[in-house]
Amino acid sequence: MTVANIEVSETPLMLYALRRADDALILGHRLSEWCGHAPAMEEDMALANMGLDLLGQARELYTYAAKVEGRGNDEDKFAYLRDVRQYRNLLLVEQPNGDFARTMVRQFFYAAFADLYWRAMMASSDPTFAAIAAKSEKESAYHVRHSSEWVVRLGDGTEESHRRAQTAIDDLWAYTGEMFAVDDGERGLIDAGIAIDPATLKARWLKTVTGIVNEATLALPKSDWMQQGGRVGSHSEHLGHLLSELQSLQRTFPGATW
Amino acid sequence: MYTQALNSSDGDDRGVEDVARASQFQARIDADERIEPNDWMPAAYRKTLTRQISQHAHSEIVGMLPEGNWITRAPSLRRKAALLAKVQDECGHGLYLYAAAETLGTSREELVDAMLSGKAKYSSIFNYPTLTWADIGTIGWLVDGAAIMNQIPLCRCSYGPYARAMIRVCKEESFHQRQGFEIMVTLCRGTAEQKAMAQNALDRWWWPVLMMFGPPDQVSQHSDTSTKWKIKRFSNDELRQKFIDATVPQAEFLGLTIPDPGMKQNENGNWVHSPIDWDEFKQVLAGNGPCNRDRLAARRKAHEEGAWVREAAAAYAEKRKSRQLAQAAE
């Protein structure tokens, strides 16, 4: 029995799956924190729905990462027995829920990307990715619709909701650049037709985001400084707290089956 | 059960306004016809059902909190997804039931306000804390198990919308119950620590679960009219007995001990429990359970902190409507 963190062999393909799995798990976890506390019951349902979609995506991606890695790790070992420095998710998805505006803006920024991303990944030469993409694309399309409708309602709602939505955009904007970044390992997968180049999605993402933000009578920040680091394990302070909660039982009762 | 406060009388409000219509109404009930929202019904029938259905809805919504307490700490991704989906189902039940209650003429907002103000009740069981993961298994196994005992007969309730809601709710509840039992099986086959965790959860939940069925028949207030109207088909004690008889072999299968050393099987094969501490039950209903204040505070906080969101949605809808009208006028 051991409480130690697992060792992970981060080959490019494995790491690629792991990063997307971490994105989905951490964002899904954040959404699940709302359960029972949302502004309306309909929203409790919707946030749980999106959280469940993301958890499902995470599980498929972890399972694939484990298969590619071939070292006997599995979805739960990846989720529960890695420390902050071993997590590979985007900084955006680990940002705390804050108020409902922040949760929805975070969801919108991510989903507007994920929708384009998974649609493009349906053409991956890797059949597992293509299959996960086909399912995830449908889910992401709903996430974009739901979150963008809220961004518009909040931006063009009351003075207070406008202020909150604008603050959320201003605070989260610097975390959006990381979605389009590529490292050398990923470049190889792109060249092989396994992954797609996210830079090719940027213009369309920006068009969607600008369109909704304008409709919401909100504005995007002028600053183009972007935070990076999640993909290599340099996270914000928030992730450690999330993980200490997420992993508490596995860490307290090492080796038990649940 | 989820509507225990019905057992406390608020005086005789059963004056019948129209003798002829009332006897026609009773004849329909006796013929096992379903009463639908637009049908004539005695004011007391409407009132009883509004209270029962809305208390049931409140219980579903407040019931999200004790289990929601473990969503972020569920010990595997499969358990996490199952628990999130389960709590989401409860929210769905709440919404569905509020809609059924609204068919009787009271708005969801009014019903929710009555809960938030502490005026309307919800099931006493949700005022107990979930301390360990085994509590999640125990709630599924016992709390949902008890709820099913109570709700299956409600599928034949005389009021159509409630009966139909219960059919759907029961399907999901029995899935939850199996899920909870499966958590217990896993814990009981696990390490010694896990087994102890399971036993401890059973020790803490057993008596509060028996109280879910409400006071013993000889002191229950509303059962007579509810029975006549075919809202209630079995008495509190009958349902409690059914539940215990079904649960004893399950506990045996798990290798857990029901925390009632005096419980004995009678000549009919029924398990007879020791006296229930009804003072505890009264205290919990009166607001003095371990979590009453926390539960209400959490619901109020969600409601208050969500106010600006709901206002924004309403303001936006209003703006959009006037823009559309202005466009149409052009």
Side-chain angles (χ1 to χ4, degrees):
Chain A
M1 268 194 231
T2 172
V3 273
N5 299 316
I6 55 165
E7 280 181 33
V8 179
S9 308
E10 292 185 340
T11 57
L13 182 60
M14 185 278 174
L15 179 59
Y16 192 82
L18 192 65
R19 284 171 169 170
R20 274 79 208 165
D22 286 347
D23 289 345
L25 174 64
I26 298 302
L27 188 56
H29 182 95
R30 283 292 187 219
L31 294 177
S32 80
E33 291 172 355
W34 273 103
C35 192
H37 308 280
M41 285 172 246
E42 286 80 358
E43 225 27 55
D44 263 316
M45 301 287 289
L47 291 164
N49 250 336
M50 294 191 288
L52 282 165
D53 287 344
L54 289 162
L55 272 177
Q57 293 171 16
R59 295 182 65 188
E60 288 176 0
L61 287 159
Y62 281 135
T63 301
Y64 188 46
K67 191 176 154 206
V68 172
E69 188 192 30
R71 290 181 50 141
N73 284 326
D74 57 29
E75 58 173 27
D76 287 332
K77 286 185 179 158
F78 285 134
Y80 291 91
L81 297 176
R82 280 180 305 148
D83 203 356
V84 175
R85 298 279 294 140
Q86 294 174 293
Y87 260 80
R88 297 289 179 251
N89 57 279
L90 298 165
L91 298 174
L92 176 68
V93 298
E94 73 196 40
Q95 297 309 305
N97 287 338
D99 61 14
F100 186 71
R102 183 175 293 243
T103 292
M104 275 303 146
V105 168
R106 184 186 65 199
Q107 197 65 30
F108 174 57
F109 283 161
Y110 177 78
F113 170 79
D115 185 39
L116 295 171
Y117 170 77
W118 288 121
R119 208 179 307 158
M121 281 294 283
M122 287 163 67
S124 168
S125 64
D126 181 309
T128 308
F129 274 132
I132 294 173
K135 178 170 162 285
S136 304
E137 190 278 323
K138 289 191 194 84
E139 295 166 347
S140 305
Y142 163 71
H143 302 182
V144 180
R145 199 170 73 230
H146 189 78
S147 58
S148 65
E149 282 172 4
W150 269 112
V151 171
V152 171
R153 274 185 213 116
L154 297 179
D156 195 15
T158 63
E159 218 170 285
E160 181 181 6
S161 68
H162 179 91
R163 177 178 55 74
R164 287 175 183 265
Q166 187 60 57
T167 305
I169 289 176
D170 294 345
D171 289 350
L172 294 171
W173 180 245
Y175 298 110
T176 57
E178 205 178 16
M179 296 190 289
F180 303 97
V182 167
D183 64 12
D184 289 346
E186 294 197 353
R187 181 63 59 198
L189 297 174
I190 293 166
D191 293 342
I194 293 169
I196 58 102
D197 186 350
T200 60
L201 309 174
K202 177 116 189 227
R204 271 182 292 160
W205 177 81
L206 198 58
K207 195 174 163 225
T208 305
V209 168
T210 311
I212 292 296
V213 166
N214 287 344
E215 192 187 340
T217 72
L218 297 161
L220 292 179
K222 299 268 185 290
S223 164
D224 56 4
W225 171 255
M226 291 293 158
Q227 302 287 352
Q228 308 257 349
R231 291 297 190 219
V232 293
S234 291
H235 291 278
S236 62
E237 289 177 350
H238 307 295
L239 184 62
H241 295 283
L242 184 155
L243 293 181
S244 68
E245 196 170 331
L246 174 82
Q247 300 177 339
S248 61
L249 271 179
Q250 291 273 358
R251 300 290 191 181
T252 312
F253 301 97
T257 303
W258 300 93
Chain B
M1 184 48 63
Y2 282 11
T3 52
Q4 287 150 334
L6 284 180
N7 293 300
S8 57
S9 171
D10 59 355
D12 187 11
D13 54 14
R14 317 228 166 267
V16 170
E17 58 271 74
D18 183 325
V19 177
R21 285 178 122 175
S23 72
Q24 271 171 9
F25 173 83
Q26 190 59 49
R28 287 188 62 197
I29 299 233
D30 294 342
D32 272 332
E33 279 181 43
R34 284 275 156 82
I35 308 301
E36 296 299 335
N38 293 329
D39 297 347
W40 185 88
M41 62 188 85
Y45 178 84
R46 186 184 300 277
K47 190 176 170 192
T48 298
L49 271 165
T50 303
R51 286 177 63 194
Q52 175 157 346
I53 301 171
S54 62
Q55 280 175 27
H56 192 160
H58 303 328
S59 297
E60 297 283 358
I61 298 302
V62 177
M64 294 170 74
L65 297 170
E67 289 178 281
N69 184 37
W70 280 91
I71 291 172
T72 55
R73 291 179 290 168
S76 73
L77 295 185
R78 182 171 83 91
R79 295 288 186 209
K80 191 182 186 68
L83 182 59
L84 179 55
K86 184 194 169 184
V87 179
Q88 185 195 36
D89 281 349
E90 280 155 15
C91 186
H93 297 169
L95 272 171
Y96 211 54
L97 286 160
Y98 281 124
E102 281 190 313
T103 64
L104 291 159
T106 313
S107 73
R108 178 168 123 191
E109 287 72 21
E110 284 174 82
L111 297 170
V112 169
D113 283 347
M115 185 257 284
L116 294 175
S117 73
K119 215 176 95 198
K121 301 295 181 198
Y122 55 86
S123 178
S124 59
I125 197 72
F126 301 120
N127 290 314
Y128 290 86
T130 50
L131 301 182
T132 71
W133 175 252
D135 293 36
I136 299 307
T138 307
I139 288 180
W141 172 36
L142 298 182
V143 175
D144 293 330
I148 292 165
M149 277 301 166
N150 188 56
Q151 289 166 11
I152 290 215
L154 285 172
C155 297
R156 294 184 289 132
C157 163
S158 60
Y159 189 57
Y162 193 31
R164 288 188 288 272
M166 279 305 107
I167 291 171
R168 175 169 154 173
V169 167
C170 280
K171 278 186 194 150
E172 293 183 349
E173 292 292 357
S174 63
F175 182 66
H176 298 164
Q177 201 265 347
R178 285 199 296 273
Q179 235 170 34
F181 190 71
E182 200 250 325
I183 290 176
M184 296 308 278
V185 171
T186 308
L187 291 174
C188 291
R189 288 180 184 164
T191 64
E193 267 175 316
Q194 285 176 304
K195 180 101 190 251
M197 195 188 271
Q199 181 63 54
N200 173 268
L202 175 59
D203 292 348
R204 283 181 288 112
W205 288 92
W206 176 253
W207 293 105
V209 164
L210 294 192
M211 293 173 202
M212 286 176 72
F213 294 92
D217 293 347
Q218 68 267 29
V219 299
S220 180
Q221 307 263 4
H222 286 246
S223 295
D224 289 349
T225 34
S226 285
T227 305
K228 189 182 85 182
W229 285 331
K230 293 191 182 165
I231 296 171
K232 195 175 175 78
R233 287 174 183 266
F234 297 96
S235 76
N236 293 351
D237 285 338
E238 283 168 342
L239 290 168
R240 187 163 23 238
Q241 190 59 55
K242 268 183 154 181
F243 171 78
I244 295 173
D245 291 340
T247 306
V248 168
Q250 293 168 356
E252 263 169 33
F253 176 83
L254 291 169
L256 297 176
T257 308
I258 288 176
D260 180 359
M263 192 162 70
K264 286 192 188 70
Q265 210 166 11
N266 67 14
E267 64 279 11
N268 303 324
N270 299 126
W271 287 93
V272 183
H273 61 81
S274 304
I276 294 173
D277 179 2
W278 291 112
D279 283 340
E280 175 180 327
F281 178 69
K282 276 182 211 140
Q283 288 298 332
V284 176
L285 278 195
N288 297 324
C291 297
N292 293 59
R293 283 166 197 277
D294 287 347
R295 300 294 183 237
L296 266 187
R299 285 314 309 159
R300 283 179 190 145
K301 184 165 181 275
H303 190 76
E304 282 159 19
E305 288 181 359
W308 69 269
V309 177
R310 297 189 300 274
E311 281 158 19
Y316 175 73
E318 200 51 49
K319 281 187 201 177
R320 211 174 111 163
K321 207 167 95 188
S322 46
R323 273 180 219 142
Q324 278 165 348
L325 283 174
Q327 250 177 7
E330 272 169 22

